[in-house]
Amino acid sequence: MITFGCLCFLRPVGNLNHVIQVACGDQHSIALTQDGKVFTWGQNSSGQLGLGEREPSTLSPQPVKSLSGIPLAQITAGGDHSFALSLSGAVFGWGKNSAGQLGLGDTIDRPAPAPVDCLNLKKTVAVSCGGEHTAVLTKGGFVFTFGSGRYGQLGHNSLRNELRPRLVAEFWGAKVTQIACGRNHTLAFVGSFKNIYSFGHGEQGQLGNGVKMDQSVPLPVHLPQVLNIESGKWLNDSNLGKVTQTLDDDIINRWISDCDSKSWKTIQKEITKTFSSASCLNGSFLDKRRDKHYQTSLKHSGLDLSFAQLAFQKLAKKNKVEDVVQRILLPSLSKDPIGVEGLRVYLIIPELLRVLRKQQRGMDITEAFAAAILRLNPDKLQGGGITDEFYLLGLLCGKALYNQCVLNLCFPLALFKKLLGLTTTLDDLKELSPTEASGLQNVLDEDDELVEAMDLVFMYKGQELIPNGEEVPVTMVNRKKYVDLYVDMKLNKSVQIQFAVFERGFHKGFPIQAWRMFLPVELMTLLQGDDNYEWDKLRENANYQGYRPTDDIIQNFWSVFTEFSEEEKKKFLTFLTGTDRLPRGRSLSKLQMQITSLGSTDADEYYPKAQTCSVTLCLPNYSSIDTLQEKLLHAITHCDVFGDA
């Protein structure tokens, strides 16, 4: 990767390797690497680098972490805005938006990639950016433009700005095959006609129409006969994989057919590349049949999971895939994925786990996968409403339960009763809201005079529990009915929309009905794990690397750990494994912890670290037990910083 300085000297840019695409804006640059990472550098005055809130401009390439895991087909840059396009046709924009050039329906700048939801399911295959406008091409040959229309560069026969993508009606019936934006003008190529159309600013003759005038509708450019214009071809199903980091069906079929042959070693590099990158893995199993990968949404993954399972059945015979997924892929997953595009890998990994489980393997990957799910932050998903988050939460809970993963999430027992179709009661409300439940219990327990003195009516937070409930007082006769209706409103009716969405996601993640055999408390324990701790077993099964059990540092560590409170021991378990809960039926006696030397000369300057995937504690050789206690307590209290995975 090189760039030109002002004196035209070639100079390498940072440590970028295997770059497959580059794009330049007015004062910023973007690069896409073969393993699916996006890097940006330059001016960030309007968020055009996509690095997040209040991030400064930078002279060296920085990763756009929120796009991690999304298989990209294209990157492009405008004046002060940027776009990325996924293999499934999802469009993400960020940066300056003063004229609506991000297509998000407003004029607010975006410091990080935001999905252009109105382009979903449009089968977008190309994006081109001008100074303050953007053009999008779909597989069907339709062109959508948005942003500044000051010079007619949007092609809508007006000079008005468009805040959302608008179809260029002049191309109706003519299949456009390529688009390109200049600063204030746009070109489109219709392959079947072998014609180029131009519109927008023409003061310097850039429209090719022979005059220096602006035009607000697409008109053909009259080319000299000596030019040989070949048929324009852009991104489509046959060549999408060639311009991205993902592997096409031929290579995956080669994996499957060659797994047991002597040529296995010749394709190990391809397997490592794919299974160590979420974006590569995500893109490799897209469902290309009848364009299903373009249908990605909350209800459709866009993946061919049956093909993924077939590939895993062959590949799981080799330990290479298992090792790469556990050691590299899972720790790299982002906790803040952008919408459903970044979540598909969470649907692919369970297919591998299902295959490994049949071979009595995969427990380590299962735990690492659970840790990755725990890191997810559904509240920060962009482009989705509250129902999207409940669907995601239900999907992850179903997937985790199906694959015997533990999620350390504090769900009330009432949720599991509702999943099983059982009636919720006042006792369930006591767990969720003790104070509120205590007040209702008083209504049931007090005598007649005190109940009337409470001056209650059949209302719940401004909603009538029965017709004309505001006029119906609560008495000794009807108080049981009042409490039952109040609990039903609180635990059922007031959350029925959210629960229905959660339940739909849960059934998607756990598609068979085997879970219905459990009681609610059993189902809760299966998902959230046991809390039956046998702390002494942790020491009995510990292994050591670089240390011996008799070393002072090890003896000091166990002395400190023994003196920990119960809460501190749970924090240590979270620091070590990613959760303070244990899979049902799996005690600490089956957890093989490893303590390894951190290998630092100035040990007292460092904190312990944890590798949750391998249940490893990296412990510096501290000079005293007091220093060990101080450093360890600090680390387990701030485990988001000191835990590696």
Side-chain angles (χ1 to χ4, degrees), residues 176-244:
V176 176
T177 53
Q178 189 169 345
I179 55 173
C181 292
R183 173 166 294 279
N184 295 306
H185 72 291
T186 309
L187 300 179
F189 180 54
V190 179
S192 58
F193 300 159
K194 298 190 184 322
N195 279 341
I196 295 176
Y197 291 80
S198 64
F199 45 100
H201 199 33
E203 187 177 7
Q204 280 80 40
Q206 55 265 54
L207 298 184
N209 55 13
V211 295
K212 295 182 178 181
M213 295 177 58
D214 300 346
Q215 62 186 41
S216 58
V217 294
L219 292 175
V221 177
H222 299 290
L223 298 172
Q225 294 297 319
V226 296
L227 290 180
N228 180 17
I229 303 176
E230 297 182 358
S231 176
K233 293 183 180 179
W234 197 244
L235 304 179
N236 55 45
D237 277 355
S238 64
N239 58 22
L240 268 174
K242 296 177 183 178
V243 298
T244 68

Side-chain angles (χ1 to χ4, degrees), residues 417-558:
K417 293 181 72 172
K418 287 170 65 64
L419 281 171
L420 291 166
L422 302 177
T423 302
T424 52
T425 66
L426 180 58
D427 287 337
D428 299 312
L429 184 59
K430 290 177 181 177
E431 178 192 4
L432 185 65
S433 180
T435 302
E436 203 169 4
S438 177
L440 293 174
Q441 188 65 54
N442 289 337
V443 174
L444 295 176
D445 295 340
E446 298 293 352
D447 57 30
D448 189 27
E449 293 182 358
L450 288 176
V451 170
E452 292 183 1
M454 292 178 182
D455 198 24
L456 297 173
V457 293
F458 277 70
M459 296 287 291
Y460 168 84
K461 296 183 178 180
Q463 300 182 61
E464 293 182 334
L465 296 174
I466 59 175
N468 300 317
E470 192 173 7
E471 307 296 331
V472 181
V474 176
T475 65
M476 288 283 289
V477 177
N478 63 18
R479 62 181 178 179
K480 178 65 166 60
K481 179 179 180 181
Y482 166 76
V483 171
D484 290 343
L485 289 173
Y486 189 103
V487 171
D488 181 56
M489 177 64 75
K490 175 75 175 181
L491 297 182
N492 299 308
K493 291 181 180 177
S494 66
V495 294
Q496 61 184 354
I497 295 176
Q498 293 91 332
F499 177 75
V501 176
F502 175 91
E503 186 177 35
R504 189 167 70 248
F506 183 86
H507 287 299
K508 181 72 174 180
F510 202 133
I512 61 176
Q513 300 298 308
W515 57 273
R516 291 190 177 276
M517 70 177 69
F518 297 102
L519 296 173
V521 68
E522 293 174 331
L523 196 62
M524 182 172 67
T525 302
L526 281 173
L527 183 63
Q528 298 180 182
D530 280 324
D531 56 3
N532 182 23
Y533 305 106
E534 299 171 287
W535 297 114
D536 57 323
K537 300 294 184 182
L538 193 63
R539 181 173 186 174
E540 290 179 11
N541 293 279
N543 297 316
Y544 305 95
Q545 184 177 6
Y547 291 130
R548 293 173 297 179
T550 56
D551 288 343
D552 289 344
I553 182 65
I554 298 301
Q555 296 295 316
N556 288 342
F557 168 78
W558 289 116

Side-chain angles (χ1 to χ4, degrees), residues 28-96:
H28 75 290
S29 302
I30 312 176
L32 174 64
T33 61
Q34 195 172 33
D35 59 355
K37 293 183 175 65
V38 176
F39 292 86
T40 59
W41 64 97
Q43 179 63 250
N44 198 33
S45 56
S46 301
Q48 59 264 51
L49 299 187
L51 303 178
E53 293 281 357
R54 295 181 293 277
E55 289 295 324
S57 304
T58 176
L59 299 178
S60 59
Q62 302 296 321
V64 182
K65 295 179 180 179
S66 57
L67 289 174
S68 175
I70 298 176
L72 297 178
Q74 184 197 1
I75 54 170
T76 187
D80 293 316
H81 67 295
S82 311
F83 272 91
L85 170 67
S86 82
L87 283 170
S88 296
V91 179
F92 304 93
W94 63 95
K96 191 173 183 179

